[in-house]
Amino acid sequence: MKTVILREKKEDLIKGADIIKNGGLVAFPTETVYGLGADAKNSNAVGKVYEAKGRPQDNPMIVHIANFEELYDIAETVTPDMIKMAKKFWPGPMTMIVRNNGSIPEITTGGLETVGVRLPDNITARTLIQLSNTPIAAPSANISGRPSPTRPEHVKRDLEGKIDAIIWGKPCEVGIESTVIDMTQDKPMILRPGGVTRETIEKVVGRKVLLDPYLNKKQNDGTNFTPKAPGMKYRHYAPKASIVIYEGSENDVDRAIEVDARRMQSEGKKVKILLFETPVAAMRTWFDELRKADDNSVDVILTNALPEEGLGFSVMNRMLKSSGFNIKKV
Ligand code: TXA
Ligand code: MG
């Protein structure tokens, strides 16, 4: 299949929307990561997304909308909490899990009775959805198991020849995927931490928000957690290089990384050092750095842990998974 490159201009977005309407696949930029879009109501089109990504069929997709009102076309009920959340965080990196009123087919929801809904901030994404005149199901536009795509080049690398079009936009500002929050129970629960933090959500709903207990815990630590977002159980975000995350005071971490790097290099390994000052800096570049490391045949990545609060919790979730929970305390 020939993959067409489209630009962020109206006439190209109309072409993209026509592809979506005709059951094709279009990758597009969002503020979090690039998405691989299909008409969320077209089972055949959504089936092709699973195929192109090599994605397990039990892993549901997020449905993207262009206006808040479209939530009423999808959710069985829209609660006051959902309205508060949408008012505060939409458009933006926040996905609400709601009960499906039956309008979204089973293949899109991975057979669940619920559905994830997100209104992205990126104007190209919203325009594409609007012009397509249907909600767009879109997982991240990468081959399953590869780091999520934060630049159009990443999408091209993974999916060229497998999808109809790529809308060539800018690098994603947030750099990790949206916060997924289950709004179907009495207490909201974060299933995947992202660009919106637990702390800010608690302020908006005015009470405690639960965290899926599986998050940021090693899977094989003796407990038997199964994450509530099916996608969180897969080995994810992993480059070919191995990763070590150093935890300790800044000085100790810097020193230990230097010593270890020298030793590894003397063993003939190609080492890459990534030192992050803030969670935001780490979020924006983490996936891109992993892909660059692969392109440069890096053997080992040495990096620093960030405090697991606020956005630090979200980016550490990705870093822990990428590394296979490989923490070195110094
Ligand atoms: O930022 C994002 O959310 C990006 C952009 C493209 O919008 N999309 C994205 O989609 O990250 P994906 O498919 O890579 O991740 C969706 C996650 C998976 O972990 C999936 O299991 C979970 O959301 N999910 C989707 N629907 C769900 C549902 N009904 N119940 C529980 N988890 C759900
Ligand atoms: Mg993904």
Side-chain angles (χ1 to χ4, degrees), residues 5-8 13 26-38 49 53 55 62 64 118 120 122 124-125 128 136-143 146-159 163 165-178 192 237 284 287-288 291:
I5 303 293
L6 301 173
R7 305 280 155 192
E8 287 184 297
L13 298 185
V26 179
F28 60 95
T30 83
E31 71 279 17
T32 57
V33 302
Y34 274 71
L36 176 57
V49 175
K53 276 181 63 85
R55 181 180 175 102
I62 292 173
H64 297 69
R118 175 161 115 80
N122 183 294
T124 296
L128 177 73
I136 294 187
S140 47
N142 53 303
I143 295 289
R146 297 265 296 138
S148 292
T150 57
R151 294 172 174 271
E153 293 86 355
H154 301 163
V155 180
K156 185 164 185 277
R157 182 73 177 265
D158 278 15
L159 296 174
I163 64 177
I166 301 171
I167 300 177
W168 206 267
K170 292 173 198 64
C172 305
E173 310 91 78
V174 177
I176 65 169
E177 306 87 340
S178 62
R192 180 178 71 182
Y237 316 123
R284 202 167 288 152
F287 289 134
D288 187 37
R291 282 176 179 262

Side-chain angles (χ1 to χ4, degrees), residues 87-104:
K87 281 213 165 120
K88 175 74 184 177
F89 299 116
W90 280 355
M94 191 277 295
T95 298
M96 286 198 278
I97 305 292
V98 302
R99 291 205 162 279
N100 181 8
N101 67 5
S103 62
I104 302 298

Side-chain angles (χ1 to χ4, degrees), residues 49-115:
V49 175
Y50 285 101
E51 215 172 286
K53 276 181 63 85
R55 181 180 175 102
Q57 291 256 357
D58 71 343
N59 193 1
M61 286 177 199
I62 292 173
V63 172
H64 297 69
I65 58 177
N67 295 290
F68 165 70
E69 288 70 32
E70 293 167 51
L71 178 62
Y72 290 86
D73 303 334
I74 297 172
E76 204 174 76
T77 44
V78 176
T79 64
D81 271 351
M82 291 177 195
I83 295 172
K84 280 190 218 161
M85 293 280 291
K87 281 213 165 120
K88 175 74 184 177
F89 299 116
W90 280 355
M94 191 277 295
T95 298
M96 286 198 278
I97 305 292
V98 302
R99 291 205 162 279
N100 181 8
N101 67 5
S103 62
I104 302 298
E106 228 175 50
I107 185 163
T108 308
T109 65
L112 299 174
E113 285 172 2
T114 55
V115 52

Side-chain angles (χ1 to χ4, degrees), residues 230-267:
M232 298 295 280
K233 72 174 175 276
Y234 299 105
R235 185 177 144 83
H236 232 125
Y237 316 123
K240 290 173 205 126
S242 59
I243 302 173
V244 189
I245 302 173
Y246 290 75
E247 193 180 273
S249 75
E250 206 178 309
N251 276 339
D252 290 348
V253 166
D254 288 355
R255 201 166 315 128
I257 286 182
E258 209 182 300
V259 171
D260 286 359
R262 211 168 297 142
R263 194 195 64 245
M264 290 170 179
Q265 278 156 350
S266 75
E267 291 164 357

